[in-house]
Amino acid sequence: MASTSVSRIVPASPDKVWSLIGGFDALPDWLPYIPESTALEGGRVRRLKNPEGEVIIERLVDFNETERQYSYAILQAPFPVNGYVSTLRVHAVPGRDDVAEIQWSGRFNPANATEQEVVDLFTGIYADGLDALHATLAG
């Protein structure tokens, strides 16, 4: 199983960041790669579309409001992986209440691709996403 993780410090309190990204259906609010999200099954599943119109379906597998984190599994996507589970976390930065650390991590099995190719793919998606989140919060 392969894995990757990307972290960024963003210019907002952990509570403000969580209020923006903590909703499972909130990706279009901060992630340009996902302009459309539809909540299904009472909000436990999200049907996403990327700019090319490709569909990604994900299921919420863990949600912790107190710890400001959630995990999800990909059920359907145009990515060369299976067994994908990812976690998005918001951490406080000790001694600072005006910034937060965001960590986006995932583990997955390559399918018709090398481990390095899928690690590079998701490292890029996470890094671009957290850069976009930083830009939104710095706005």
Side-chain angles (χ1 to χ4, degrees):
M1 182 164 274
S3 64
T4 188
S5 182
V6 175
S7 294
R8 290 281 186 279
I9 301 294
V10 296
S13 70
D15 287 340
K16 181 176 180 182
V17 175
W18 183 246
S19 71
L20 175 61
I21 73 171
F24 188 56
D25 197 37
L27 289 180
D29 296 340
W30 61 274
L31 187 62
Y33 181 69
I34 302 296
E36 183 181 324
S37 178
T38 303
L40 305 168
E41 296 184 23
R44 303 287 297 172
V45 172
R46 60 187 178 194
R47 183 181 187 276
L48 311 170
K49 280 193 181 175
N50 67 16
E52 292 77 38
E54 296 170 314
V55 173
I56 303 162
I57 299 176
E58 299 172 337
R59 175 176 297 283
L60 186 65
V61 295
D62 184 53
F63 183 88
N64 189 316
E65 182 79 29
T66 304
E67 294 186 18
R68 294 184 292 256
Q69 69 179 37
Y70 69 80
S71 298
Y72 61 94
I74 289 180
L75 304 179
Q76 173 189 327
F79 306 127
V81 296
N82 58 52
Y84 177 101
V85 176
S86 183
T87 300
L88 195 58
R89 293 181 174 95
V90 179
H91 297 284
V93 175
R96 301 281 304 267
D97 59 5
D98 60 331
V99 298
E101 180 182 7
I102 314 309
Q103 180 186 31
W104 197 351
S105 60
R107 61 185 193 279
F108 34 81
N109 296 308
N112 300 315
T114 68
E115 182 171 312
Q116 192 59 55
E117 287 170 335
V118 293
V119 166
D120 290 348
L121 171 68
F122 287 106
T123 300
I125 289 171
Y126 299 166
D128 290 348
L130 295 183
D131 288 346
L133 175 61
H134 186 281
T136 296
L137 292 166

